[in-house]
Amino acid sequence: MGEWDELYRENIIDHYKNPRCRGTLDHPDITYEDANPLCGDQLRIDIEVKDGKIEKIRHSGHGCSISQAAASMLCERMEGHPLEEVKALTKEDVLELLGIELGPVRLKCALLILKTLKAGVYGITQWPGEEEETK
Amino acid sequence: MSTPPVGTTAVAATSRGRFDAHEVRSRFPLLTARRERPLVYLDSAATSQKPESVLAAMDDYYRRYNANIHRGIYAIAEEATAAYEDARARLARFIGAPSREVIFTRNSTEAINLVAYAWGRWALKQGDAVVLTVMEHHSNLVPWHILAAERGIELRFIPVTDSGELQMEALPGLLADGRVRLVGVVHISNVLGTVNPVGEIARQAHAAGALALVDASQSVPHMPVDVKALGCDFLALTSHKMLGPTGIGALWARRELLEAMPPFLGGGEMIREVKLQGSKWNELPWKFEAGTMAIAEAVGLRAAVVFNEELGMERIFEHDRELARYALERMIEVPGVRILGPPAEKRGGVVAFELGEIHPHDVATVLDHHGIAVRAGHHCAMPLHDRLGVPASARASFHCYSVPGDVDALVEGLHHARKVFG
């Protein structure tokens, strides 16, 4: 088995080809769009909040398999959870969902969903993981 | 489009014999190094690999005659100065220019910034216009954005056709009101490989009272370029794409312009006389070379120029174009491949492409795992990608050491990428 098979693990390809929580919402309480200018990836999230919980979350846009799979996985994981949990999400959580290690360039692909989510919910616009470095 | 006007250096013309890319490749340590998986390097438009002779020349400088130039009154300082100035002389001859008109910079980006800051601030006033093209690298856009904001100058753009060529019929209109002072154009597009008719553009610019700047980052490393034959006024080039080291490039400009322009950076060596309240500038070319320059890099660049001359730029260009032709032929075998840019006869050794709906990053990552190095992204040409309606592309590019086997490996890698994401 070549290394590329390991990077593009079955679950990543599966989420890429059959994304969960894909689409937009007609009446979102939170909507936010962000992009990774380096590779042209664009991502939008729509969230419906009910009783402090993420009732519905949808992602749309375009990008590489890593950014799309990460969006699918994270949205699937967060739906039904308290909105408050978004604050505690870290880049490690995303990498754990993906189940792979990534170099610095592809890491940004994976973290675009987290950045978009945190910006939409809390107005935090830094790349996750860079908060400490810029302090 | 006819063949672009080119000149041939005397040395290149004397190069004979069949071009043997495998033999050429054997002189590049990085490409012949033993590794787990053989490296298929297809990113020469980003930076070229370096031959043994370039590495040896730089090593020899540091080991044997490392000293600061132009000042030391001792043997190794004189040797270093002679080597640095000989690098300038050889580079100048390589592009058909007098030595005095060649200014060393860090790279072509700095060369263009030199023109924008030194010439632009001095020569341009509010209401003047600069014409660029939609296929420029960011290095020939951003310096002009900065200047435009500072001076209130207007930027105009020669459009690009769907096939990735300049829409030359738009140029007379852009020049018509007589407000254009400079036309800046990339000689070979780093994304599309399009060879632009820069001689004709310079001719039209001059007829409209404007100067012509050529970004030769991708042309000087791959084809014979003679500044007199091109008829331009400024030409920017960089060493690391022409088999030389990073950290050094050059601006060529006509002497009258360099004489008239104020300096770019102030500091040591660029002055003749300094008093507390002011200074007098040194003569050309040192007026534009402030501080200790990249001496080892100049020595490396000199070795790169010699290497290129020995191979012959005509032959390198023919080799690159033949590989691009072969790549276009082979790549269309892969279902879903869409090539950006013009047909083979109008391009140099660069092939940008898309593979169906697969994101270029995914294509590049799969290829990387096959040992194939290609570029993926916007290649510092976002406006061009906007124009072509693609967010990003993958790009394979060649140099003298590239061989048809590299293309075969690429095609095989693309088939694999389709399998993974199909």
Side-chain angles (χ1 to χ4, degrees):
Chain A
M1 182 186 267
E3 281 174 46
W4 55 274
D5 293 316
E6 289 161 30
L7 177 57
Y8 291 110
R9 290 162 62 114
E10 219 169 294
N11 68 327
I12 292 179
I13 297 290
D14 178 42
H15 275 268
Y16 174 58
K17 288 184 185 168
N18 312 296
R20 330 295 197 254
C21 303
R22 175 90 183 158
T24 56
L25 297 173
D26 289 336
H27 305 288
D29 298 297
I30 295 169
T31 180
Y32 195 77
E33 203 173 318
D34 207 343
N36 183 352
L38 211 66
C39 46
D41 288 1
Q42 276 178 335
L43 190 64
R44 173 180 150 184
I45 49 151
D46 292 347
I47 304 175
E48 272 177 35
V49 184
K50 199 175 170 188
D51 303 328
K53 273 188 181 169
I54 297 175
E55 178 79 3
K56 271 187 181 172
I57 179 164
R58 294 290 177 269
H59 66 97
S60 55
H62 58 83
C64 68
S65 60
I66 304 288
S67 73
Q68 295 298 294
S72 168
M73 289 172 178
L74 198 65
C75 289
E76 186 181 42
R77 146 107 186 256
M78 295 310 293
E79 200 164 71
H81 283 246
L83 194 61
E84 189 64 20
E85 278 183 25
V86 170
K87 206 167 207 168
L89 284 174
T90 65
K91 74 174 180 186
E92 283 73 26
D93 293 323
V94 179
L95 291 178
E96 206 183 304
L97 284 171
L98 287 166
I100 50 167
E101 304 223 342
L102 288 170
V105 174
R106 301 306 303 271
L107 188 61
K108 290 220 159 143
C109 307
L111 297 183
L112 180 60
I113 178 62
L114 186 55
K115 181 173 183 252
T116 308
L117 196 55
K118 291 210 174 199
V121 177
Y122 294 108
I124 302 166
T125 53
Q126 272 166 320
W127 280 101
E130 287 182 358
E131 298 89 343
E132 307 84 20
E133 294 158 39
T134 51
K135 257 178 201 165
Chain B
M1 192 182 79
S2 61
T3 323
V6 293
T8 309
T9 66
V11 177
T14 63
S15 303
R16 287 192 187 86
R18 203 175 64 85
F19 189 92
D20 183 353
H22 288 278
E23 188 282 321
V24 173
R25 189 185 185 91
S26 73
R27 290 189 260 166
F28 288 75
L30 184 139
L31 297 172
T32 53
R34 291 184 64 87
R35 47 183 97 224
E36 215 173 305
R37 208 184 340 235
L39 173 67
V40 177
Y41 185 74
L42 291 173
D43 200 15
S44 291
T47 196
S48 67
Q49 297 303 337
K50 324 302 175 197
E52 179 64 41
S53 61
V54 168
L55 306 179
M58 295 175 73
D59 191 62
D60 181 49
Y61 162 74
Y62 276 128
R63 287 179 192 278
R64 211 170 49 72
Y65 60 101
N66 172 49
N68 211 335
I69 50 173
H70 295 139
R71 281 175 284 274
I73 319 287
Y74 47 89
I76 62 168
E78 281 167 6
E79 189 175 355
T81 304
Y84 179 80
E85 290 304 333
D86 188 50
R88 188 197 312 278
R90 279 176 188 265
L91 178 65
R93 191 182 64 179
F94 189 63
I95 58 168
S99 284
R100 187 179 286 265
E101 298 180 351
V102 171
I103 314 293
F104 280 131
T105 60
R106 274 192 306 137
N107 44 40
S108 38
T109 297
E110 187 176 287
I112 294 169
N113 273 273
L114 195 164
V115 176
Y117 280 89
W119 175 82
R121 277 181 173 167
W122 167 73
L124 299 181
K125 56 184 193 311
Q126 185 158 11
D128 287 342
V130 167
V131 170
L132 304 166
T133 84
V134 172
M135 68 167 82
E136 294 311 303
H137 188 279
H138 295 166
S139 61
N140 197 27
L141 290 172
V142 182
W144 304 108
H145 293 163
I146 294 171
L147 193 72
E150 186 181 303
R151 288 294 146 101
I153 61 170
E154 182 197 339
L155 302 181
R156 302 174 182 176
F157 297 91
I158 303 176
V160 167
T161 64
D162 291 338
S163 64
E165 293 169 69
L166 290 181
Q167 223 168 298
M168 285 295 288
E169 60 276 19
L171 184 56
L174 294 171
L175 295 168
D177 64 3
R179 285 166 50 203
V180 176
R181 307 289 309 279
L182 180 87
V183 179
V185 58
V186 67
H187 197 172
I188 297 183
S189 161
N190 69 310
V191 179
L192 306 169
T194 314
V195 184
N196 288 320
V198 290
E200 171 60 18
I201 291 170
R203 198 190 60 73
Q204 291 193 34
H206 290 160
L211 299 177
L213 175 149
V214 173
D215 174 0
S217 303
Q218 300 287 350
S219 61
V220 166
H222 295 274
M223 67 190 281
V225 172
D226 182 303
V227 295
K228 294 290 184 297
L230 289 181
C232 58
D233 305 283
F234 300 104
L235 181 132
L237 65 89
T238 193
S239 150
H240 72 97
K241 294 188 202 291
M242 56 186 288
L243 316 181
T246 55
I248 190 163
L251 171 71
W252 166 81
R254 281 194 297 110
R255 183 171 173 174
E256 314 86 85
L257 288 165
L258 292 172
E259 299 275 12
M261 284 155 59
F264 175 36
L265 301 172
E269 187 52 35
M270 52 74 67
I271 33 70
R272 177 175 299 157
E273 188 185 307
V274 177
K275 302 219 163 130
L276 281 176
Q277 297 295 340
S279 31
K280 283 185 185 157
W281 315 137
N282 201 341
E283 56 191 69
L284 294 176
W286 306 288
K287 168 180 166 184
F288 291 97
E289 294 182 359
T292 296
M293 299 295 286
I295 305 166
E297 287 73 13
V299 169
L301 173 56
R302 175 174 69 161
V305 168
V306 170
F307 191 96
N308 279 302
E309 283 178 334
E310 280 173 8
L311 289 185
M313 297 312 292
E314 297 276 8
R315 296 198 311 165
I316 292 177
F317 196 40
E318 197 35 55
H319 168 76
D320 290 352
R321 294 173 65 126
E322 222 156 84
L323 271 181
R325 206 160 23 234
Y326 179 60
L328 294 186
E329 245 174 62
R330 291 283 332 264
M331 287 167 72
I332 52 170
E333 289 170 15
V334 183
V337 162
R338 186 170 88 90
I339 307 282
L340 306 179
E345 65 271 16
K346 291 179 179 175
R347 70 164 77 208
V350 179
V351 179
F353 61 95
E354 292 181 294
L355 181 57
E357 296 298 306
I358 308 173
H359 194 282
H361 270 187
D362 289 324
V363 175
T365 300
V366 173
L367 292 175
D368 175 45
H369 289 136
H370 285 260
I372 304 165
V374 299
R375 188 46 76 97
H378 49 60
H379 321 298
C380 294
M382 288 175 105
L384 176 61
H385 281 83
D386 283 345
R387 162 63 184 88
L388 298 174
V390 294
S393 61
R395 179 188 73 187
S397 53
F398 313 107
H399 214 307
C400 57
Y401 42 71
S402 308
V403 293
D406 295 338
V407 173
D408 298 335
L410 171 67
V411 168
E412 198 185 318
L414 293 177
H415 281 297
H416 275 270
R418 267 179 44 81
K419 235 180 264 171
V420 175
F421 292 102

